[in-house]
Amino acid sequence: MTTTTAFARRNLARVTALLACLLLWHLSQPPAASDAQRDRLAQRFAFTAHLVSPAHRVGDRTLRPVAPAYKDIPSWISSVGAGVALLAADGGSVSRDICLVDPRTDTVTVRPAPGTGRRYAPFVLRPPAAAMPAYAAPMGCLPADLNEDGWQDVTVYYWGRSPVLFLRRPGLPPGAGAFVARELVRPRAVWNTNAATTGDYDGDGHLDLAFGNYFPDGARVLDPTARQPGRLVMNASLSNARNGGTNRLLRFTGATRGPAPDVRFTEAPGAFGDGARGWTLAMGTYDLDGDHRPELYVANDFGPDQLLVNQSAPGRIRFREAVGVRHATTPKSKVLGRDSFKGMGVAFTHLGPDRVPDILVGNIAENYALHESNFAFTAAGTPRDAGRALHRGTAPHDDHSEPLGLSRTGWTWDVKAADFDNDGGPEVMHATGFVAGRTDGWAQLQETAMSNDLILDHPRLWPHFPAGTELSGHDRNTFFVRAGTRGRFTDVAREVGVGTDAVSRAFAVGDVDTDGRLDFVVANQWAPSVMYRNTGPAHRSLGLRLRLAAADGHTRPAIGATATLTLPDGTERTEQVYPANGHNGVNAPDLVLGLGDTPATTLPVRLTWRDGHGRVHTRATTLRPGWHEIVLDEEAAR
């Protein structure tokens, strides 16, 4: 063989290898919708934007003060804190008010939603000065009627202190004076909480509270004077960190109503098992098996999430962890409960005709960076089949985010699924972005991602992320739409006008103007937050405000109630009232079921709920399209 021939063959081999790599890369790319297809999908939606917080002002912060241990990574530490919830601050049943946490001023403000009238002046929920250390900052607010008097209270959670319960004084007009602050735990403790949810976990008829904590208990992360070796640490791993704050579940144990309201909760020890000290960023509550005891999903940063199956009884809260099954084509990190990704949001929905709820999880899925994946855990079969598997410790859910088109969205936080055009199927939104600046920090972060776990928990050994660092600071929020009931989702956020590139953290979804179309609020980090009012050509819907009897003739949201709608073709659709799922975003406690092209003027609905004594009831009724407020009393049950 001549030298020239050998050289030519080596070059041919190189070219062939390169072409093979290019072919494999091309085959691995997800299908892309054409501009015409995107425009057709976008025509089903229209939104009008309204600011719900002031434009940026002189003096507003864009960075937090931090402990000396974190002085080189202030942008990283300052990346969370925006949260939003919808509630009825006036004591009514319509959630037309907004509770917004704005990190620019570290305030928790309640205000009327745009378009609902100037019914009262915005006001701030703030604990007494003596109870608010300088190193504490609010992270989120969770509305719920905790003392069951028919007036919605608000739980505010923080970095730097344990949560505060702002209990509503009955009969007073909305304002700061209409709420009285009570400590959740006494004496107060130093927690660093990033997630909260609520449900009746032990089935006694009363709401319990669950909190996901991030930095270790006692760590004064935002205290520039704090020197706490052993507490002011970072995650001990990027894939299996278990040195974070302690997650806590507190069970309702009593309440006082009237002008001096109070409520008591007792911690349920061991509820989270071995996963109690993950770095938790999101939580979700939903009944996955139809036994009227909600499960709890815990989304952890830097390590495996947890699906906790409810095996509780009144007065005793117990969970069993369930994990998914790895198949021959399943990457290890796409197995439910075995992932090593950065879980930052969770939502429950139905992506197909099956009756088992599906689970959406937001992770980092940044092209050419930390390209992990969002999750879309789907399960086939019946709730009974799912229940048998779950109680054996096996999650019957497999990830289908890639074929569904939901896997790649950038640096993802909150995720919400809702039917914005009332066609009967959900749209999916992701709040995205990390820190916005001018100096790209991805090379340093990639280097950190390859570091040895033995050094990761030392913040001084992290690369510098000072003010001005740019890490996925201009990702666009998503608005995924599906053509029909099967196939891939397509992101049309830009075409619809909701694809902001502000760094976003949370969504709250609800019909604030009671026109039968869902609106939503997005909470932005270090930027004004926005409500998007739905003005699209939506189909008809069935709106349900399911209520339970409360004190003095008032009613309260029936958290945990289930509605099953039967369509004329025999198809059943089931929704549950669990508004507090995700990362710092709380929906209105209502159900809006889109009716699509259904011509029926009356529709059969089956309602199931647990009363204040823990008993489960079922009621069948027939309803017309439109809004209905239904009090779930025992006399009407059967």
Side-chain angles (χ1 to χ4, degrees):
M1 180 185 302
T2 66
T3 302
T4 302
T5 303
F7 179 76
R9 288 185 176 179
R10 284 197 299 271
N11 276 349
L12 179 61
R14 293 189 183 104
V15 171
T16 302
L18 177 60
L19 291 174
C21 290
L22 290 172
L23 177 62
L24 290 173
W25 177 84
H26 176 75
L27 292 175
S28 69
Q29 300 307 298
S34 68
D35 290 343
Q37 290 172 321
R38 299 165 73 88
D39 288 340
R40 281 196 298 273
L41 292 174
Q43 287 174 2
R44 293 158 44 187
F45 307 92
F47 294 91
T48 303
H50 303 267
L51 286 181
V52 295
S53 64
H56 198 69
R57 299 162 295 191
V58 175
D60 284 348
R61 292 183 318 195
T62 58
L63 209 64
R64 297 189 185 279
V66 299
Y70 304 116
K71 68 180 180 64
D72 294 328
I73 53 173
S75 288
W76 190 284
I77 302 300
S78 301
S79 61
V80 293
V84 65
L86 292 173
L87 74 159
D90 57 6
S93 61
V94 181
S95 296
R96 52 181 178 166
D97 302 291
I98 297 170
C99 179
L100 181 72
V101 183
D102 191 339
R104 298 177 298 171
T105 53
D106 278 342
T107 53
V108 181
T109 304
V110 178
R111 68 180 67 238
T116 65
R118 297 184 178 181
R119 296 172 285 114
Y120 58 89
F123 60 91
V124 175
L125 296 176
R126 184 181 290 115
M132 193 65 178
Y135 51 79
M139 294 286 144
C141 53
L142 170 59
D145 183 4
L146 299 176
N147 66 340
E148 302 169 2
D149 64 353
W151 297 77
Q152 275 193 297
D153 313 301
V154 178
T155 301
V156 178
Y157 48 97
Y158 305 82
W159 277 13
R161 62 152 298 144
S162 46
V164 177
L165 310 177
F166 290 90
L167 301 181
R168 186 68 159 85
R169 288 176 166 145
L172 297 178
F179 291 83
V180 57
R182 302 289 191 214
E183 295 288 353
L184 174 68
V185 297
R186 302 166 190 172
R188 74 169 188 263
V190 176
W191 298 0
N192 296 286
T193 308
N194 258 133
T197 185
T198 185
D200 178 8
Y201 299 106
D202 64 347
D204 66 353
H206 307 287
L207 289 180
D208 311 303
L209 295 172
F211 296 95
N213 292 317
Y214 198 70
F215 284 96
D217 299 350
R220 302 198 306 273
V221 177
L222 305 181
D223 183 357
T225 69
R227 299 187 182 277
Q228 300 173 289
R231 282 187 174 172
L232 295 174
V233 298
M234 294 297 286
N235 44 290
S237 169
L238 280 180
S239 59
N240 194 28
R242 299 181 185 271
N243 64 326
T246 304
N247 291 343
R248 289 180 163 86
L249 199 150
L250 290 96
R251 185 176 63 84
F252 174 94
T253 53
T256 301
R257 304 177 185 92
D262 201 359
V263 64
R264 297 174 295 281
F265 291 89
T266 301
E267 185 168 354
F272 295 93
D274 294 338
R277 293 191 61 202
W279 294 68
T280 300
L281 284 176
M283 282 184 164
T285 298
Y286 218 74
D287 179 9
L288 298 180
D289 57 4
D291 67 355
H292 311 295
R293 296 178 298 178
E295 276 61 59
L296 188 60
Y297 191 100
V298 182
N300 291 317
D301 204 357
F302 310 121
D305 295 349
Q306 283 185 290
L307 176 57
L308 301 176
V309 182
N310 200 333
Q311 299 183 328
S312 305
R316 181 183 65 86
I317 295 179
R318 294 287 185 273
F319 294 101
R320 175 176 183 173
E321 188 169 358
V323 298
V325 175
R326 186 181 184 187
H327 308 293
T329 58
T330 309
K332 182 179 179 181
S333 271
K334 287 204 166 199
V335 177
L336 194 156
R338 300 295 192 202
D339 67 287
S340 60
F341 292 166
K342 318 298 181 291
M344 293 178 285
V346 60
F348 300 90
T349 188
H350 289 273
L351 298 174
D354 57 272
R355 294 166 53 202
V356 181
D358 304 316
I359 308 171
L360 302 176
V361 180
N363 295 306
I364 298 178
E366 194 67 72
N367 286 330
Y368 311 110
L370 288 182
H371 199 162
E372 298 174 346
S373 173
N374 298 323
F375 296 138
F377 290 121
T378 65
T382 67
R384 179 173 295 183
D385 295 334
R388 292 194 187 103
L390 288 167
H391 286 275
R392 291 195 306 266
T394 301
H397 296 77
D398 296 316
D399 176 59
H400 289 93
S401 58
E402 183 70 2
L404 285 169
L406 298 172
S407 62
R408 314 180 189 202
T409 56
W411 196 307
T412 305
W413 296 82
D414 204 10
V415 53
K416 289 287 190 286
D419 186 358
F420 289 99
D421 63 348
N422 292 331
D423 70 342
E427 284 69 56
V428 178
M429 303 187 299
H430 303 83
T432 64
F434 188 51
V435 293
R438 296 183 178 180
T439 305
D440 195 308
W442 265 113
Q444 291 80 4
L445 183 54
Q446 290 282 32
E447 183 177 287
T448 304
M450 296 183 289
S451 297
N452 192 305
D453 283 357
L454 295 176
I455 67 170
L456 274 172
D457 63 342
H458 298 282
R460 293 292 180 88
L461 299 180
W462 277 57
H464 291 190
F465 294 119
T469 298
E470 162 71 25
L471 283 168
S472 300
H474 295 86
D475 287 350
R476 288 190 171 273
N477 291 351
T478 71
F479 191 89
F480 279 95
V481 178
R482 205 174 191 178
T485 59
R486 299 182 182 275
R488 293 178 62 85
F489 283 83
T490 299
D491 180 16
V492 296
R494 189 189 298 268
E495 289 80 1
V496 173
V498 299
T500 173
D501 66 352
V503 172
S504 300
R505 288 293 170 267
F507 298 115
V509 180
D511 182 9
V512 301
D513 51 9
T514 66
D515 66 355
R517 297 173 291 187
L518 288 171
D519 316 293
F520 70 95
V521 186
V522 54
N524 292 323
Q525 184 81 8
W526 310 121
S529 296
V530 181
M531 187 189 90
Y532 290 94
R533 185 178 176 186
N534 192 338
T535 58
H539 298 277
R540 297 182 304 165
S541 65
L542 178 67
L544 300 175
R545 295 190 185 96
L546 304 180
R547 314 284 293 182
L548 294 174
D552 301 324
H554 292 277
T555 62
R556 57 190 174 95
I559 304 298
T562 298
T564 300
L565 167 69
T566 302
L567 295 171
D569 63 0
T571 302
E572 288 189 345
R573 289 179 44 215
T574 298
E575 300 289 345
Q576 302 176 26
V577 185
Y578 285 109
N581 294 323
H583 175 85
N584 297 357
V586 182
N587 295 340
D590 310 321
L591 300 178
V592 177
L593 295 90
L595 300 179
D597 296 322
T598 299
T601 56
T602 58
L603 295 158
V605 179
R606 184 174 70 256
L607 305 174
T608 305
W609 73 96
R610 192 183 294 274
D611 66 22
H613 304 287
R615 297 184 292 260
V616 176
H617 304 275
T618 298
R619 170 182 171 184
T621 187
T622 301
L623 300 172
R624 294 180 177 274
W627 271 108
H628 300 267
E629 183 172 323
I630 302 175
V631 179
L632 302 173
D633 54 70
E634 297 179 37
E635 288 74 17
R638 58 185 177 132

